């Protein structure tokens, strides 16, 4: 995950094998789902033009629905 904080784009570099059957969800700190992608590429770019300034949480989820990794990033504009 880079850059953090981000302004226009944020990039996720996934470990090999994480892309098949995995999904990524991004939520605002108020719980609103801002982004969701399934069958991820190894390098994923998220456009932040629809994101307001603030903190966001992400969850990397496996095919069974289990959260494999969570984290947060900041958007500064």
């Amino acid at each position: 995950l880079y850059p953090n904080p981000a302004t226009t784009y944020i990039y996720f570099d996934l470990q090999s094998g994480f892309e098949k059957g995995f999904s990524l969800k991004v939520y605002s700190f108020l719980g609103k789902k801002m982004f969701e992608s399934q069958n991820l590429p190894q390098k994923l770019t998220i456009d932040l033009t629809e994101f307001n300034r603030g903190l966001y949480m992400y969850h990397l989820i496996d095919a069974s629905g289990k959260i494999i990794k969570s984290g947060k990033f900041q958007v500064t504009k």
Side-chain angles (χ1 to χ4, degrees), residues 34-49:
M34 301 295 294
F35 177 86
E36 181 175 8
S37 181
Q38 298 179 353
N39 295 323
L40 305 172
Q42 201 161 354
K43 290 184 182 274
L44 175 68
T45 302
I46 300 176
D47 182 355
L48 299 175
T49 55

Side-chain angles (χ1 to χ4, degrees), residues 3-74:
N4 190 10
T7 54
T8 53
Y9 293 96
I10 195 147
Y11 305 95
F12 286 86
D13 284 344
L14 302 175
Q15 295 175 5
S16 182
F18 270 17
E19 62 273 8
K20 292 192 174 98
F22 284 70
S23 62
L24 180 77
K25 295 182 182 181
V26 176
Y27 297 91
S28 72
F29 255 60
L30 297 176
K32 180 181 177 187
K33 188 189 309 179
M34 301 295 294
F35 177 86
E36 181 175 8
S37 181
Q38 298 179 353
N39 295 323
L40 305 172
Q42 201 161 354
K43 290 184 182 274
L44 175 68
T45 302
I46 300 176
D47 182 355
L48 299 175
T49 55
E50 298 294 319
F51 286 57
N52 291 323
R53 194 175 118 166
L55 289 174
Y56 293 86
M57 298 279 302
Y58 69 87
H59 300 301
L60 181 63
I61 302 165
D62 70 8
S64 69
K66 181 179 175 187
I67 295 174
I68 300 298
K69 183 170 179 149
S70 289
K72 60 186 174 183
F73 64 90
Q74 183 175 356

